[in-house]
Amino acid sequence: MLMDNPQDRLELDSQLAELSRVQPWIEAVANRHGVAEDIRFAMQLCMEEVLANVVLHGYRSEAGHPIVVKIFVSAGTLFFTIDDQAPPFSPIEHGSRDDGKKPASLASIQPGGNGLRLLRHFGGSLSYERLADGNRLTIGFAAPMKSASI
Amino acid sequence: MTISTESMDGGITRVLLDGRLDIQGAAAVDLRMNVLAGSSKFLLIDLSNVSFLGSMGLRSIVIPAQAVNRRGGKVALFNPAPMVEEVLKASNIDQIIPIFHDLGSAVAALC
């Protein structure tokens, strides 16, 4: 169930500078819910990777497009939904997967491209939904919380 | 995010990063990291005071490490916090840039 509390919603414009607003917002969310430090880290990491992906690839670094982040709690899990109006893209179906093989060498690896891998590793649950005018990614963190109430 | 350096025995440059190596943090240190990579043969990147590491921060480590490697040098990572180390391991970076929690072992691996 989506909550109506304004504190549970963050609206961003599609530019990387906007991401500086996300970290304090997540800290405030985590404080309200008593989220443990390692889960806070995972939340911060997943949100940075997803939002940077939306800005850089979804909107191709073009400012002026909306990104809306909301949270809700269900069955002891804290969920983040990220809605955008970029072309269809499911982070669940794309990107590099860990094949368990050791990289050949430092020289051979790509410096980037780890965002989706990290999202899959640190995001507790991931689901993607194609909306009429964009994309919705939902990330759940089954975190031991002091209180699940808002 | 701040960056400072120390010269150690054996021609090692110890790079001390302090803060969040997120998108903003990476942008703040990239230029200095690349300059250091161009002038140092042995680079010890001290992550003791890095509280966050994302994929853009990984680039700030990997690109200079590749530059040092191309010139025949070596790079090691020192003392990441547990969650920062998990990012390094989830990205397989630990398999190509060694991680040490003991300074003596890190120095020995570089020299």
Side-chain angles (χ1 to χ4, degrees):
Chain A
M1 136 179 87
L2 288 174
M3 301 297 178
D4 294 321
N5 189 336
Q7 294 176 310
D8 295 338
R9 177 186 174 98
L10 181 66
E11 295 186 25
L12 302 166
D13 189 57
S14 53
Q15 43 192 317
L16 287 182
E18 284 276 275
L19 302 194
S20 63
R21 296 170 52 205
V22 177
Q23 189 245 339
W25 182 75
I26 293 177
E27 278 302 306
V29 167
N31 286 339
R32 287 204 303 280
H33 292 275
V35 175
E37 284 300 320
D38 57 339
I39 304 298
R40 287 175 191 238
F41 186 103
M43 290 174 175
Q44 297 277 3
L45 181 60
C46 291
M47 292 302 290
E48 172 161 302
E49 302 304 340
V50 169
L51 294 170
N53 198 56
V54 171
V55 171
L56 295 174
H57 303 297
Y59 289 129
R60 299 180 181 273
S61 301
E62 185 178 279
H65 301 285
I67 305 169
V68 179
V69 184
K70 298 176 190 172
I71 64 161
F72 65 97
V73 175
S74 178
T77 298
L78 184 56
F79 291 92
F80 291 75
T81 63
I82 302 100
D83 291 4
D84 65 64
Q85 295 177 4
F89 177 78
S90 169
I92 297 170
E93 297 170 7
H94 294 80
S96 59
R97 291 183 182 278
D98 190 352
D99 57 9
K101 292 179 183 173
K102 181 179 178 178
S105 68
L106 179 57
S108 69
I109 65 163
Q110 292 294 320
N114 285 300
L116 296 180
R117 184 198 304 262
L118 293 174
L119 175 64
R120 292 195 191 93
H121 183 88
F122 285 91
S125 66
L126 299 172
S127 64
Y128 170 80
E129 181 182 356
R130 176 64 186 153
L131 306 177
D133 60 349
N135 305 280
R136 171 174 291 164
L137 182 68
T138 303
I139 313 172
F141 296 91
M145 290 178 274
K146 292 177 196 165
S147 167
S149 63
I150 296 179
Chain B
M1 188 81 212
T2 62
I3 180 171
S4 59
T5 60
E6 286 178 9
S7 293
M8 301 177 69
D9 290 344
I12 297 171
T13 301
R14 183 177 184 176
V15 183
L16 298 107
L17 298 173
D18 192 333
R20 291 172 56 85
L21 207 40
D22 54 11
I23 290 174
Q24 290 82 20
V29 302
D30 271 352
L31 178 59
R32 185 88 187 275
M33 287 291 286
N34 289 328
V35 169
L36 288 166
S39 60
S40 309
K41 188 164 185 184
F42 303 113
L43 215 54
L44 179 61
I45 302 176
D46 189 333
L47 299 172
S48 303
N49 293 316
V50 171
S51 59
F52 178 87
L53 177 62
S55 65
M56 296 295 269
L58 283 172
R59 288 171 55 91
S60 300
I61 292 172
V62 171
I63 290 173
Q66 288 179 319
V68 171
N69 182 254
R70 278 196 297 273
R71 294 188 301 105
K74 293 181 183 176
V75 178
L77 305 176
F78 179 61
N79 204 30
M83 292 301 285
V84 170
E85 186 162 354
E86 189 171 339
V87 172
L88 294 163
K89 289 181 174 176
S91 310
N92 290 329
I93 300 300
D94 63 314
Q95 298 187 40
I96 46 173
I97 308 176
I99 300 172
F100 297 93
H101 289 275
D102 171 69
L103 189 57
S105 300
V107 169
L110 287 174
C111 294

